[in-house]
Amino acid sequence: MTTTTPQATPAVRAHRARRGLAAAPFLAPGMLFLIVFMAIPVGLLAFYTFFKRGRFGGLVFEFTLDNWAKLAEPLYVGVILQSIGLALVVTLLALLLGYPMAYAIAGLSPKWRTVALVAVVLPFWTNFLIRTYAWILLLNNAGFVNQWLQAIGLTDEPISMLYTPQAIVVGLLYMYLPLMVLPLYASLQQLDPSLREAATNLGASPWRAFRTVTLPLSLPGALTGCIFVFVPAMSNFVIPELIGGGKTVMVGNLVRDQFYEARDWPFGATLALVLTMLLVVVIVIQAAVSRRITEGPRRG
Amino acid sequence: MTAEPLLRVDGVRAVYGDTVALHDISLDIAHNEFFALLGPSGCGKTTLLRSIAGFETPAAGRIIVDGIDLLPLPAHKRPVNMMFQSYALFPHLSVERNIAYGLEAEGVGRAEIRTRVGEVMEVVRLGHLAKRRPSQLSGGQRQRVALARAIVKRPKLLLLDEPLSALDRQVRASMQLELKRLQHEVGLTFVVVTHDQEEAMSMADRIAVLNEGRLEQLATPQELYADPGSRFVAAFIGTANLLDGDATAEGVAVPGMGLVPAAHSLDVGSPATAVVRPEDVTVGTEVSGGLRGTVVDTYFLGGASTISVEVPGLPAPLLASVHGATRLARGAEVGVTFGRATAVPRDPSQPPSFGTTVPTTAITVTDGADAPDAAEASAPTRSQDVSA
């Protein structure tokens, strides 16, 4: 209930303050962790962006806005846009593949549901790098996929699949599909089955019932899944590096390269900060949209 | 029934695994009838309702509405609408859009939808809440939305699954009246599923009492009360003193008590139970010629009081009901006589007299005495029981 009166008496205010303090012991450890490992590094990044680069890394304490101006160069704008584009494609494919999967899992009997969920999560038990190398083995010119294609006579020449943008999409999709399936499954599974029955009872065909009831009510789950996929896909740099062969540069690669190769810490910091801000904006929008879907437009 | 029935349930049998949920149920429901399916949880009443709506597929039998066999039709093509126990309102749609849902699915034109939704919202007095979401409504308001959503389709048959179970006692009483009013006003045929005998008795024209998948008795509330067809019905409907014994020409011979005179058509010597309603029991210090006993407790219910009397030789106290308050107090020595009694057949596998009979009904009485709490506290569990 949000029926707080506008002018609370001092006693009430004091009481509320005490209630706020009561939560402190529970919040403090987590907050401390976040401050040390999140707020301070991000603050440091923001600080770096306003100084000149040192010759071999580090920075020279001379104020400048060059790092921000450099962002506008077509090269970097292109990389940022390409990253957004690739991440969007991956997210969309994950949604298209993940929705039917989650829907099917939610409809299974409890026993098979557990089996299916374990199967979805299973890849996470293997190291991320090992799995990425496995894709290299599958996709390279002498790899398994090309061998099979030639064996069944679909192609004579090996198709070059590794080190293409498509390979990056496949790799990212593989990596993050479970992160789409799980929140979708959670939202589909908690839907009251009587809602679908009610829609049917009111004359809606199964497809109409799905479109007007199940689908809109699973949107918050779908949005969460999209964020879970989009955010890491956009900032991933290992997969573009290994499967993309470093040719297709994404923001993640660029940030890494600025720090390790170009030794331009201030510009790397600027890119990292931009990436973080972009993702925060995306998450805030997602939260607002989800709330609107579940709670409806504000009253009045 | 004089005219052609609106709904004919003919030999419907439902099976889950090895358990039979419905044993060849047959019944007819007339046009504009307010019909109740009554029974404890697990009796099959919800299965029957869901079979009519098309959410369960019976193993055998026919369900005919207005001459059309429903069973071959998928749920969304059946001319029946249902009000769900949980109301099943669409949380992402406003009250208005919830009510319009069925008409949109049917392909009714926009202008007509607007008029019909407006009319129905007036009927259930929801006009001022049109733009709200279900989460912003009280329980009673949600129920009216659910009702409006079902009746706006003008179904031939309206199915209501435990319509009042989720409401507290105050709202319940007014909703009960509202349902009756609506039924007269709109001229619909209602089939209500309930486990609450008071609810069924007060609203329904006729009641089918179900027990363990079988139809125990189908009759008007008055008949069910005055002339129960089985021991189960006698115990389930209202409060009763059940005295187990054997049928004789004049009534029922109850061990440890003697003959209870009762009219019946049972075979002499067959196991029988005498059913004596509390209002047919006279208790008083001056009463003579009957049994002697001690007052164990009295329950004041406002318009009436229930007196519980322990009679030596009987396994459980007898219940008597009198108008207004009683001057009898705990421990008073009283005489007890019976007025009208009926006799019902008894399952011979049960021992002639078992102690749980009257205490169960005594619990019903105390339940009535402090019902607001009890009804609220037990509502959620009940609803789970029923849907399970």
Side-chain angles (χ1 to χ4, degrees):
Chain A
M1 289 284 101
T2 51
T3 47
T4 39
T5 44
Q7 62 278 59
T9 63
V12 169
R13 245 179 283 142
H15 177 71
R16 274 193 209 136
R18 266 202 307 280
R19 256 209 319 224
L21 280 180
F26 299 95
L27 286 173
M31 289 302 276
L32 197 70
F33 184 89
L34 284 178
I35 287 168
V36 172
F37 292 101
M38 172 75 200
I40 292 177
V42 168
L44 222 56
L45 273 185
F47 179 72
Y48 278 20
T49 63
F50 296 108
F51 292 97
K52 287 194 171 154
R53 57 174 295 188
R55 205 154 163 207
F56 305 103
L59 58 160
V60 175
F61 291 97
E62 223 176 288
F63 182 83
T64 175
L65 287 174
D66 287 353
N67 298 312
W68 290 94
K70 206 168 160 189
L71 276 180
E73 283 174 26
L75 175 66
Y76 302 115
V77 172
V79 169
I80 290 172
L81 289 181
Q82 189 175 15
S83 303
I84 293 176
L86 271 176
L88 277 179
V89 169
V90 170
T91 307
L92 192 70
L93 287 175
L95 185 61
L96 290 178
L97 286 176
Y99 200 101
M101 255 176 96
Y103 189 83
I105 294 173
L108 292 175
S109 68
K111 194 182 87 183
W112 286 108
R113 214 184 282 165
T114 314
V115 173
L117 286 175
V118 169
V120 166
V121 183
L122 207 58
F124 285 124
W125 294 2
T126 313
N127 181 282
F128 167 76
L129 272 179
I130 294 174
R131 285 184 287 147
T132 309
Y133 279 112
W135 275 103
I136 297 177
L137 286 181
L138 281 173
L139 294 180
N140 73 44
N141 282 2
F144 290 113
V145 175
N146 270 315
Q147 283 177 27
W148 292 328
L149 286 178
Q150 284 164 325
I152 59 171
L154 273 178
T155 54
D156 300 325
E157 294 285 298
I159 304 172
S160 48
M161 287 178 278
L162 202 58
Y163 309 134
T164 60
Q166 290 85 335
I168 298 181
V169 169
V170 169
L172 290 172
L173 184 59
Y174 163 76
M175 201 62 72
Y176 298 123
L177 186 58
L179 299 182
M180 175 65 84
V181 173
L182 294 178
L184 262 176
Y185 161 79
S187 76
L188 284 168
Q189 192 260 331
Q190 64 167 13
L191 270 190
D192 181 358
S194 68
L195 290 178
R196 210 177 322 162
E197 286 182 350
T200 312
N201 181 258
L202 291 166
S205 62
W207 166 242
R208 190 188 176 91
F210 172 78
R211 194 167 48 80
T212 55
V213 176
T214 311
L215 189 64
L217 288 175
S218 63
L219 274 189
L223 278 173
T224 307
C226 286
I227 291 298
F228 281 6
V229 173
F230 183 83
V231 170
M234 169 119 180
S235 47
N236 190 302
F237 62 90
V238 173
I239 287 177
E241 186 79 31
L242 295 179
I243 300 182
K247 280 193 293 184
T248 313
V249 186
M250 291 180 67
V251 189
N253 300 61
L254 204 55
V255 173
R256 203 199 70 123
D257 290 348
Q258 292 306 316
F259 278 99
Y260 288 103
E261 313 282 331
R263 308 249 170 219
D264 189 346
W265 289 16
F267 187 56
T270 311
L271 284 169
L273 199 64
V274 166
L275 180 60
T276 310
M277 288 189 311
L278 262 175
L279 296 179
V280 167
V281 167
V282 169
I283 290 171
V284 168
I285 292 173
Q286 179 263 351
V289 173
S290 286
R291 206 176 321 119
R292 209 182 146 82
I293 291 170
T294 40
E295 288 168 20
R298 297 249 166 73
R299 237 192 289 178
Chain B
M1 291 302 102
T2 48
E4 176 83 349
L6 172 70
L7 171 74
R8 165 159 285 169
V9 173
D10 185 15
V12 166
R13 185 179 181 79
V15 184
Y16 295 113
D18 330 324
T19 48
V20 181
L22 292 174
H23 292 269
D24 306 314
I25 301 285
S26 296
L27 47 89
D28 286 353
I29 296 174
H31 286 272
N32 295 333
E33 193 170 16
F34 199 123
F35 194 91
L37 292 168
L38 175 66
S41 54
C43 73
K45 57 191 193 298
T46 301
T47 305
L48 182 56
L49 196 78
R50 289 174 58 82
S51 300
I52 299 171
F55 302 132
E56 310 273 348
T57 313
R62 289 185 308 161
I63 295 173
I64 296 164
V65 168
D66 236 7
I68 307 162
D69 190 358
L70 292 189
L71 293 186
L73 295 177
H76 68 278
K77 294 202 171 131
R78 299 191 181 193
V80 295
N81 285 122
M82 176 157 162
M83 199 182 97
F84 289 74
Q85 185 177 11
S86 63
Y87 306 148
L89 297 180
F90 305 127
H92 58 304
L93 300 180
S94 64
V95 166
E96 211 171 30
R97 296 280 321 276
N98 259 284
I99 299 173
Y101 188 91
L103 297 176
E104 286 169 5
E106 213 178 290
V108 175
R110 272 172 168 246
E112 193 188 337
I113 290 181
R114 200 168 316 127
T115 12
R116 277 169 71 175
V117 169
E119 278 167 18
V120 166
M121 280 198 295
E122 285 315 305
V123 173
V124 296
R125 301 177 187 133
L126 277 174
H128 58 298
L129 300 173
K131 304 286 179 206
R132 294 262 185 104
R133 293 279 182 118
S135 58
Q136 299 164 335
L137 302 177
S138 71
Q141 290 167 340
R142 278 181 213 180
Q143 205 226 19
R144 297 215 295 272
V145 179
L147 192 62
R149 192 175 68 172
I151 60 173
V152 76
K153 297 262 292 175
R154 297 177 190 152
K156 289 180 173 153
L157 191 62
L158 183 65
L159 310 173
L160 302 102
D161 189 2
E162 301 276 357
L164 305 177
S165 67
L167 302 176
D168 61 47
R169 201 174 172 80
Q170 301 282 317
V171 188
R172 240 169 125 124
S174 74
M175 260 336 280
Q176 209 159 313
L177 291 174
E178 191 130 338
L179 280 179
K180 281 297 271 184
R181 171 182 73 88
L182 203 75
Q183 199 235 350
H184 293 305
E185 236 168 65
V186 191
L188 284 174
T189 308
F190 278 32
V191 178
V192 174
V193 152
T194 178
H195 66 272
D196 183 337
Q197 52 98 12
E198 262 180 63
E199 197 175 302
M201 296 284 275
S202 58
M203 290 195 294
D205 299 323
R206 286 193 309 152
I207 300 173
V209 182
L210 294 175
N211 182 32
E212 293 178 347
R214 288 172 210 278
L215 183 59
E216 288 273 340
Q217 193 173 1
L218 197 172
T220 63
Q222 295 78 7
E223 283 165 359
L224 282 179
Y225 189 78
D227 204 5
S230 68
R231 196 177 185 287
F232 175 82
V233 174
F236 198 71
I237 303 286
T239 310
N241 295 296
L242 302 179
L243 306 159
D244 290 338
D246 293 300
T248 67
E250 293 86 39
V252 179
V254 179
M257 193 179 145
L259 179 79
V260 178
H264 66 81
S265 54
L266 305 172
D267 290 339
V268 170
S270 66
T273 299
V275 180
V276 190
R277 297 293 179 187
E279 60 271 25
D280 296 321
V281 179
T282 314
V283 172
T285 40
E286 302 89 38
V287 175
S288 60
L291 303 160
R292 302 296 302 173
T294 318
V295 173
V296 194
D297 234 326
T298 61
Y299 313 98
F300 178 57
L301 305 172
S305 300
T306 300
I307 307 159
S308 159
V309 182
E310 197 168 74
V311 174
L314 283 187
L318 291 174
L319 297 177
S321 143
V322 292
H323 275 293
T326 174
R327 277 176 293 109
L328 291 172
R330 193 182 152 83
E333 297 290 325
V334 289
V336 181
T337 57
F338 294 151
R340 185 182 181 281
T342 49
V344 293
R346 174 169 63 84
D347 185 349
S349 64
Q350 306 274 19
S353 195
F354 53 100
T356 54
T357 319
V358 180
T360 351
T361 53
I363 287 163
T364 318
V365 173
T366 45
D367 194 8
D370 49 24
D373 295 354
E376 267 187 35
S378 62
T381 34
R382 268 182 198 163
S383 52
Q384 276 167 4
D385 283 351
V386 172
S387 59

